[in-house]
Amino acid sequence: MTACTTFDSPLGELLLVGEETPDGVTLTSLSMPGQRNAPAEKPGRRSDPDRFEAVARQLTAYFAGELTEFDIEFTEGGTDFQQRVWRALEEIPYGTSTTYGALAERLGVPRDRIQALGAAIGANPLLLVRPCHRVIGADGTMRGYAGGVERKVRLLTHEGVLQPTLL
């Protein structure tokens, strides 16, 4: 059975979707309001906040600055190529960033396939938990984040990659 709940965060209300297990859920999706290609609410999903208690605890600790690495069970999905890219995202440490080119080089992806790499990153169904926000342009620009570039900047500032700006 598929369960879902929402989680109020500094980035807005997050939608958590998962497959029920005896101990809670395996997370299948974490999305944000206005996210590109966000999963829509579907009939048959059961709202069950209790199932997501462990996920909510970790998200709360992350936003409080007390957690730098998630330990959340999630459901594998995607193509073999996407899974390879997503595993590489999981290896980018908190408080750091990498570039699309550096990630492509690390994975042995030819330069003419960097767009495919970007598409795989953009198809990541687990925003925040699988840290695609830590991939930036070679010139330091904030490029393509399904949750919106403003949220990418907020996450990287929260993690100390970017310095907060004073207005």
Side-chain angles (χ1 to χ4, degrees):
M1 172 68 85
T2 301
C4 66
T5 193
T6 56
F7 176 85
D8 288 325
S9 82
L11 302 174
E13 188 176 77
L14 305 179
L15 174 63
L16 309 175
V17 179
E19 293 300 320
E20 293 184 28
T21 68
D23 300 325
V25 294
T26 58
L27 197 62
T28 57
S29 173
L30 185 155
S31 58
M32 302 175 183
Q35 173 183 326
R36 247 185 5 251
N37 304 318
E41 287 285 344
K42 292 183 181 174
R45 284 188 184 156
R46 193 167 62 84
S47 179
D48 191 348
D50 293 340
R51 292 265 181 196
F52 293 89
E53 190 176 312
V55 175
R57 252 193 328 273
Q58 289 188 49
L59 289 170
T60 298
Y62 169 82
F63 286 115
E66 300 164 356
L67 181 79
T68 60
E69 192 172 312
F70 292 101
D71 182 20
I72 295 173
E73 281 192 53
F74 51 85
T75 305
E76 289 292 336
T79 67
D80 289 343
F81 179 73
Q82 287 172 328
Q83 287 180 16
R84 202 167 128 234
V85 171
W86 297 342
R87 280 191 298 274
L89 294 175
E90 294 166 10
E91 295 172 6
I92 304 169
Y94 180 95
T96 68
S97 64
T98 192
T99 65
Y100 292 92
L103 190 60
E105 185 176 317
R106 193 167 119 226
L107 291 170
V109 174
R111 292 199 63 66
D112 65 343
R113 299 266 303 145
I114 288 183
Q115 272 191 316
L117 176 95
I121 292 169
N124 172 18
L126 296 169
L127 294 192
L128 183 62
V129 174
R130 187 181 284 139
C132 54
H133 59 278
R134 296 179 187 155
V135 183
I136 63 174
D139 59 0
T141 56
M142 300 300 117
R143 299 210 170 127
Y145 184 59
V149 171
E150 179 183 304
R151 287 188 181 115
K152 182 174 192 164
V153 169
R154 288 178 68 190
L155 287 167
L156 291 173
T157 302
H158 170 74
E159 293 184 5
V161 174
L162 300 175
Q163 293 301 308
T165 57
L166 302 174
L167 299 177

